[in-house]
């Protein structure tokens, strides 16, 4: 049943939520046959829906009343579920999260890529379903996000400062966090201590709209080795106040091995064009994997789930099936972790990446690990990865590619077809763009193995590894 309004918003009553869709949304069917995308329901729920957007083929809406709650539901662990936006699937049992992640991968490969698939290896779940992230970034704000109840209340709202996460879709609103379930201790203790100390000592929190204040962001990185990095970003220099806070951190948390800071007065808070200064300890931490040591600085990219990254790399290496005499190309190599991980099973590995700092780190880590059969090159992939490059460095037997969410540029796909290596192992964090690229490779290559890997429990994100072999 539905009631039409002049605003074109509609109410649909007693719809059954039948599936999960991309980006954490779920799916119901309206009486007119159109799909309804929901953001606050779980497959199996029966709900009334208020729509807020209408398109030719679908609606977007919100469940306003629950007639039946799905058996797939679980109680969210986090008090901020539904407001923070960081763990959209926390209200769904983990086995069901895995089911829908694998289903999305298979659907994308078959519907977008029109790929003929082998028997798909079951998705690899994460042993740790909470406290698995090794990197978290928090923002300071002098005007924390208020709930509707707080806004309507006549009571004194007290401290308006926040140290937490951006409200989804609101660049200037920060949700104050007491306990986050994504990063292991002492992450929560450090964040809460910093906030309390800053409030007590009148260290001003940043105001995004006015671009005023002192404290801007804080990043915490942890590793399986026990190393801890804390980086505080200040909007302006105030030596006395800066040292007051940093000394407090160093004294209260002596386990911090890398205490860093940045003075950033520009409009955005990205640190990649800023000077990172080491205040105490070292300017890096270490991660380890099968005896390899990876040096990680404040600007380094490293998979944010260390334990599951190891599983992902093992699958990648297994799919490559190296015997020891192969020349391997590792495209989008980042800081060269995969290249080094597979190097002892290959004759030589060539890594290519567009970010100069990443290649510098890759070379440094290879030297640190005593690996001599890897070489790293920097440049835009679609320009560097050309015929002259292949002529200079050799024709690869195996190509490993791990591109960003946008997938591979069509020129890179074209070059892969020109090279015609015997095997391609395609690691992807976006199976939709992966499917698009696989369709372009399908004339020459057959997909022979597929395995999804869950790197981010409680979210809709999923990695996927595909082996392509020449037809």
């Amino acid at each position: 049943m539905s009631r039409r309004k002049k605003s074109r918003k509609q109410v649909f009553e007693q719809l059954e939520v039948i599936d999960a869709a991309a980006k954490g949304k779920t799916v119901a069917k309206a009486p007119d046959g159109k799909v309804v995308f929901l953001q606050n329901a779980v497959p199996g729920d029966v709900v009334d829906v208020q729509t807020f957007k209408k398109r030719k083929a679908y609606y977007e809406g919100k469940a306003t009343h629950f007639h039946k709650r799905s058996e797939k539901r679980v109680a969210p662990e986090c008090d901020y579920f539904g407001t923070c936006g960081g763990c959209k699937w926390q209200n769904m049992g983990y086995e069901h999260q895995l089911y829908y992640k694998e289903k999305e991968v298979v659907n994308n490969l078959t519907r977008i890529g029109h790929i003929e698939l082998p028997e798909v290896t079951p998705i690899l779940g994460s042993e740790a379903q909470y406290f698995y992230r090794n990197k978290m970034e928090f923002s300071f704000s002098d005007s924390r996000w208020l709930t509707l109840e707080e806004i309507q209340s006549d009571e004194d709202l007290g401290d308006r400062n926040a140290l937490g996460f951006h409200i989804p879709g609101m660049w200037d609103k920060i949700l104050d966090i007491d306990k986050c379930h994504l990063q292991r201790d002492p992450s929560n203790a450090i964040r809460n201590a910093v906030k309390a100390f800053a409030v007590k000592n009148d260290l001003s929190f940043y105001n995004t709209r006015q671009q005023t204040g002192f404290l801007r962001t804080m990043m915490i990185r942890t590793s399986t080795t026990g190393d801890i990095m804390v980086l505080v970003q200040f909007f302006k220099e105030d030596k006395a106040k800066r040292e007051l806070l940093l000394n407090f951190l160093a004294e209260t948390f002596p386990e911090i091995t890398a205490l860093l800071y940045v003075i950033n007065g520009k409009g955005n808070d990205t640190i990649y064009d800023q000077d990172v200064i080491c205040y105490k300890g070292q300017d890096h931490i270490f991660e380890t994997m099968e005896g390899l040591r990876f040096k990680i600085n404040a600007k380094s990219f490293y998979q944010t789930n260390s334990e599951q990254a190891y599983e992902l790399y093992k699958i990648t290496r297994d799919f490559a099936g190296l015997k020891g005499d192969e020349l391997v190309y590792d495209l989008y190599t980042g800081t060269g972790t995969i290249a080094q991980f597979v190097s002892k099973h290959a004759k030589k590995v060539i890594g290519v990446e567009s970010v100069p700092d990443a290649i510098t780190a890759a070379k440094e880590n290879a030297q640190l690990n005593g690996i001599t059969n890897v070489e790293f090159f920097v440049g835009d992939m679609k320009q560097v990865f050309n015929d002259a490059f292949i002529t200079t460095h050799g024709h690869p037997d195996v190509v490993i590619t791990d591109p960003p969410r946008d997938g591979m540029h069509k020129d890179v796909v074209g070059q892969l077809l020109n090279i015609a290596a015997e095997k391609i192992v395609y690691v992807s964090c976006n199976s939709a763009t992966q499917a698009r690229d696989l369709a372009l490779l399908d004339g020459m290559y057959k997909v022979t193995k597929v395995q999804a890997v869950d790197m981010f429990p409680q979210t809709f994100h999923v990695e996927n590894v595909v082996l392509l072999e020449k037809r």
Side-chain angles (χ1 to χ4, degrees):
M1 299 174 62
S2 67
R3 297 193 299 272
R4 295 188 177 276
K5 298 184 178 182
K6 290 182 180 179
S7 66
R8 299 178 72 186
K9 292 183 179 179
Q10 300 185 54
V11 173
F12 298 121
E13 297 177 352
Q14 297 199 39
L15 300 186
E16 182 180 1
V17 184
I18 56 175
D19 204 352
K23 299 183 179 178
K25 296 178 182 178
T26 50
V27 177
K29 279 285 184 72
D32 61 7
K34 291 180 181 177
V35 167
V36 184
F37 291 114
L38 303 168
Q39 295 180 334
N40 63 330
V42 168
D45 287 339
V46 178
V47 298
D48 293 345
V49 174
Q50 169 76 64
T51 68
F52 53 78
K53 187 180 290 185
K54 181 180 180 182
R55 293 290 183 263
K56 189 173 182 179
Y58 65 90
Y59 302 94
E60 290 190 39
K62 181 178 181 180
T64 56
H65 178 73
F66 290 79
H67 295 276
K68 175 190 170 187
R69 293 190 180 265
S70 172
E71 293 178 355
K72 297 180 175 69
R73 281 185 169 271
V74 295
E77 290 282 335
C78 180
D79 292 339
Y80 309 104
F81 175 77
T83 305
C84 167
C87 302
K88 292 181 185 295
W89 279 7
Q90 211 181 117
N91 59 347
M92 184 159 55
Y94 188 55
E95 70 274 25
H96 303 298
Q97 295 179 31
L98 293 177
Y99 169 80
Y100 287 112
K101 290 184 185 198
E102 183 178 304
K103 184 178 179 182
E104 180 186 354
V105 166
V106 172
N107 283 346
N108 282 339
L109 297 192
T110 54
R111 293 180 181 178
I112 297 174
H114 303 288
I115 301 298
E116 181 186 347
L117 297 181
E119 183 177 348
V120 175
T121 308
I123 185 171
L124 181 67
S126 174
E127 188 173 329
Q129 294 160 31
Y130 288 98
F131 303 108
Y132 58 81
R133 285 187 66 98
N134 57 37
K135 178 185 177 184
M136 296 293 289
E137 296 179 81
F138 308 101
S139 296
F140 293 88
S141 173
D142 68 356
S143 50
R144 68 177 174 84
W145 170 255
L146 299 176
T147 65
L148 184 62
E149 291 77 13
E150 285 179 312
I151 292 170
Q152 294 174 342
S153 170
D154 292 330
E155 296 179 15
D156 180 10
L157 297 175
D159 177 22
R160 288 293 307 277
N161 290 313
L163 179 52
F165 302 123
H166 286 270
I167 294 289
M170 299 184 183
W171 60 275
D172 63 331
K173 301 297 183 184
I174 302 298
L175 176 69
D176 192 48
I177 298 290
D178 179 62
K179 180 178 182 180
C180 175
H181 287 72
L182 286 179
Q183 190 175 37
R184 63 175 65 93
D185 291 336
S187 177
N188 284 307
I190 291 172
R191 188 192 59 256
N192 291 335
V194 165
K195 187 198 170 187
F197 184 83
V199 170
K200 180 181 178 181
N201 289 275
D202 294 321
L203 305 180
S204 60
F205 288 42
Y206 190 62
N207 184 295
T208 307
R209 287 188 175 275
Q210 299 174 9
Q211 296 197 358
T212 57
F214 180 56
L215 299 171
R216 194 163 186 178
T217 67
M218 181 169 69
M219 176 177 74
I220 301 176
R221 298 185 90 145
T222 57
S223 77
T224 58
T225 64
D227 287 348
I228 300 170
M229 175 187 291
V230 177
L231 183 149
V232 181
Q233 186 174 181
F234 302 96
F235 181 59
K236 57 189 177 183
E237 173 65 302
D238 184 322
K239 187 172 185 290
K241 290 182 177 179
R242 171 175 57 76
E243 290 185 347
L244 182 70
L245 177 64
L246 295 176
N247 287 337
F248 165 77
L249 266 170
E251 292 162 10
T252 310
F253 299 96
E255 61 267 45
I256 295 173
T257 53
L259 183 56
L260 318 172
Y261 71 93
V262 167
I263 310 295
N264 178 10
K266 62 186 174 65
N268 64 63
D269 59 17
T270 179
I271 67 167
Y272 293 98
D273 57 351
Q274 300 293 295
D275 292 329
V276 176
I277 302 164
C278 181
Y279 187 74
K280 188 168 185 181
Q282 298 179 311
D283 66 354
H284 58 272
I285 60 176
F286 283 103
E287 190 55 85
T288 61
M289 195 179 288
E290 283 193 356
L292 298 174
R293 299 182 78 214
F294 297 109
K295 183 179 176 182
I296 301 166
N297 63 39
K299 299 179 184 181
S300 294
F301 170 79
Y302 193 85
Q303 291 280 1
T304 51
N305 183 339
S306 298
E307 289 85 354
Q308 201 68 342
Y310 178 43
E311 301 301 325
L312 180 73
Y313 293 170
K314 282 193 291 185
I315 291 167
T316 302
R317 185 175 63 192
D318 176 61
F319 278 20
L322 303 174
K323 297 180 177 64
D325 59 352
E326 298 93 345
L327 173 61
V328 179
Y329 277 20
D330 181 29
L331 307 185
Y332 310 93
T333 191
T335 53
T337 46
I338 290 179
Q340 293 174 66
F341 188 75
V342 304
S343 64
K344 63 184 175 183
H345 299 272
K347 181 179 180 182
K348 189 174 185 179
V349 184
I350 302 288
V352 187
E353 169 62 46
S354 64
V355 180
D357 285 348
I359 289 297
T360 300
K363 291 178 178 178
E364 188 175 357
N365 280 323
Q367 187 173 16
L368 178 74
N369 289 312
I371 298 173
T372 57
N373 65 332
V374 295
E375 284 189 68
F376 295 105
F377 300 91
V378 67
D380 188 323
M381 192 68 62
K382 64 181 182 293
Q383 295 172 353
V384 171
F385 186 54
N386 54 29
D387 292 344
F389 187 89
I390 305 301
T391 301
T392 302
H393 301 291
H395 188 281
D397 302 293
V398 177
V399 174
I400 298 172
T401 181
D402 184 6
R405 291 193 63 80
D406 290 343
M408 295 188 290
H409 190 276
K410 66 181 189 304
D411 291 350
V412 177
V413 176
Q415 183 66 310
L416 287 175
L417 291 169
N418 290 336
I419 293 169
E422 287 300 315
K423 294 179 184 177
I424 300 174
V425 183
Y426 191 153
V427 184
S428 173
C429 59
N430 183 349
S431 59
T433 55
Q434 183 185 44
R436 177 203 67 203
D437 295 344
L438 293 178
L440 297 173
L441 293 164
D442 193 50
M444 181 176 289
Y445 288 95
K446 181 178 178 65
V447 172
T448 57
K449 290 184 181 180
V450 177
Q451 179 157 19
V453 180
D454 184 24
M455 303 283 287
F456 306 107
Q458 318 308 329
T459 79
F460 53 85
H461 297 289
V462 60
E463 299 266 335
N464 190 47
V465 189
V466 167
L467 172 63
L468 301 109
E469 298 185 88
K470 275 182 72 176
R471 292 188 182 275

